[in-house]
Every structure is written in C-alpha cells, then in structure tokens.
Amino acid sequence: MKIKKAVFPVAGFGTRFLPATKSTPKEMLPVVDKPLIQYAVEEASKIGVEEFIFITHHAKGSIDKHFQNNEGLFNMLVEQGKDDLAKSIKDIGGSNAKYISIDQGEPKGLGHAIGCA
C-alpha cells in the first residue's frame, strides 16, 4: 500500500527561533537555497506522496504562496535562459502534487493539529 497523503503540522509560532520567526514562519527559514518545509515535501514526494496537507494558522500564508505555481516568474526565468532556476520552482512535489492548507484556528497542540487534517 502506497502512502498518498502527508500531514505537516506547521501551525506553531516558532518562539524558539525568535526574532527570526517574527515575520517569517520557521518552516520557511532557508536551509542553503530553499525553505526547510520544501525539503520535507520533496522527500515525501519521492515515496509517492501526492497530497500535502499543511495544518497552519492565519499568519502562514507564505507557505501556501511558496507551493503555488508562479507561471509569470517561471516564464521570465526561461526567457532569461535561467533554466535551472525555472526548474527549481516548477512542480515542487511533483506534477500531480496537490496542496491543502487547514487553519488550526487556535493552538491546542499537536494532537489537535493532526485531528484537523
């Protein structure tokens, strides 16, 4: 049986990383050249996961935005001959990847976050 869905409980405020996380969610902090959460998504996609469910809160819109296709940026990079960069932002998680964000509402812990999925 293949795993097709992965749940990422990312609603926390990242207080241990303050002040860096005051305006940037901890999951979006860069590790080398991409946000931490992207590494997790890429690893999950390698085992066949196609549906990525993020349990978030209202201040984490940058996670959603990061995983949305940006055709304008992609086309601009291709036109400029920056094919490697264009490839790095296209179909993160695979061409069949589906991203879902669920707002946890209020911080009630990890069990509640998983239950929201």
Side-chain angles (χ1 to χ4, degrees):
M1 180 168 128
K2 288 184 91 175
I3 298 170
K4 292 291 185 184
K5 297 180 182 189
V7 177
F8 298 90
V10 294
F13 289 102
T15 55
R16 288 178 284 228
F17 289 104
L18 285 170
T21 55
K22 184 178 177 202
S23 61
T24 303
K26 64 186 174 297
E27 300 80 20
M28 296 302 293
L29 293 174
V31 176
V32 184
D33 61 348
K34 53 188 158 185
L36 178 63
I37 191 72
Q38 185 172 335
Y39 287 98
V41 166
E42 289 172 348
E43 286 298 311
S45 72
K46 287 179 185 177
I47 63 164
V49 172
E50 294 179 346
E51 190 170 336
F52 304 91
I53 304 166
F54 300 110
I55 310 304
T56 66
H57 66 73
H58 66 279
K60 299 230 178 172
S62 60
I63 295 172
D64 293 335
K65 189 169 185 162
H66 179 74
F67 289 102
Q68 293 171 354
N69 282 329
N70 184 331
E71 291 300 320
L73 177 58
F74 176 81
N75 292 333
M76 182 192 76
L77 292 170
V78 170
E79 288 170 12
Q80 293 177 354
K82 298 178 180 180
D83 296 332
D84 288 344
L85 286 175
K87 184 180 177 201
S88 75
I89 66 163
K90 183 75 170 174
D91 297 327
I92 299 170
S95 59
N96 294 324
K98 179 180 177 185
Y99 297 98
I100 299 168
S101 288
I102 300 169
D103 191 327
Q104 187 176 4
E106 56 183 307
K108 291 185 176 180
L110 181 60
H112 180 260
I114 299 301
C116 290

